[in-house]
Amino acid sequence: MLKYPEAKVISLGIGDTTEPIPEVITSAMAERSYALSTVAGYSGYGAEQGEKNLRAAIAETYYGNLGIQETDIFVSDGAKCDISRLQILFGSNVMMAVQDPSYPAYVDSSVIMGQTGPFQKDVEKYGKIEYMKCTPENGFFPDLSTVSKTDIIFFCSPNNPTGSAATREQLVRLVQFARDNGSIIVYDSAYAMYISDDCPRSIFEIPGAKEVAIEISSFSKYAGFTGVRLGWTVIPKQLVFSDGFPVAKDFNRIVCTTFNGASNIAQAGGLECLSPQGLKAMHEVVGFYKENTDIVVDTFKSLGFKVYGGRNAPYAWVHFPGRSSWDVFEEILEKAHLVTTPGSGFGPAGEGFIRVSAFGHRENVLEASKRLKELYM
């Protein structure tokens, strides 16, 4: 911006939503907000685990036939916050595995907790983390036969940044791998509503997953709640430590110690999200971003690039073989005034790729498409 003060920079970088929250949802938040100014409608601290009716609605809407109960759900101020609370639960004396590439918060929170060894500049990895390589060559699913036993496995599907969703057969293998090794899977399903095919939307669709998995999710990318802040974590009663103690009991202690509960106004919005009208509105928001994704993917494909993702997530994972991710990022920024995200920021296996977000106003996405065609045609 300093170099080109007249430029209109368009960001297709950070995965932040741009479209207004549907009015049916904001109306419920407004009503709850106004009620707080009345004696009858005022409420102070709520249950740290979330309001009972919202927990019940999440259980029914997303896990209705999967054996997940309202009491298994912890409502929070977002999936990213819960990643760190889970790291407090695990402590520093564990080893974790992570998809490579993946959302940086998994690795960064592990570093902050003191779980890792030093950063190894030559391989762009931290010591004591098992990086599970996910590339086009293995269909973006790790070869589990080469993965070491770890205490924790962070797994995101649909994946950020690659946009790849794991198949049922792949998740069956992952659950069995965790059972064989005594590992806990932390399954991030924050983009599940973008799945267009028959890939599972929850890890709990897989038999035996309740004994080995935790699931985190969020309203951020469904309803535009990136600023409102509302998510949830599911810890089934069947998940116990090796001594038989329920994992949920320890997480409940951490939540009650470090958190005073999600905003009551945000929770009113979350409850309305799960009403018939709210679900319809969220599907329309997701559909809008999926149309944006189609524009981005078609643009790069028309220019001869190999593009991954896009079908089940609002991200295109674009390959620039033999080139530095940062060089490509800089080229597109300098010449087209578009912000993307260098793939190497998601892990060493992201080198040679950029992530292009489909979160944006339609006119900006179309303008970005035009500029990319002018740059690479």
Side-chain angles (χ1 to χ4, degrees), residues 185-207:
I185 300 166
V186 178
Y187 189 82
D188 186 343
S189 65
Y191 297 94
M193 208 167 175
Y194 287 80
I195 291 177
S196 302
D197 54 27
D198 60 355
C199 290
R201 288 162 173 75
S202 168
I203 189 68
F204 301 121
E205 294 180 38
I206 308 305

Side-chain angles (χ1 to χ4, degrees), residues 30 51 83 104 123 173 331:
E51 296 179 358
I83 289 167
V123 290
R173 296 201 323 255
E331 176 178 86

Side-chain angles (χ1 to χ4, degrees), residues 308-331:
Y308 303 94
R311 176 171 171 76
N312 291 321
Y315 301 118
W317 189 238
V318 188
H319 198 194
F320 288 77
R323 296 195 61 190
S324 156
S325 295
W326 278 101
D327 287 348
V328 175
F329 162 84
E330 187 173 7
E331 176 178 86

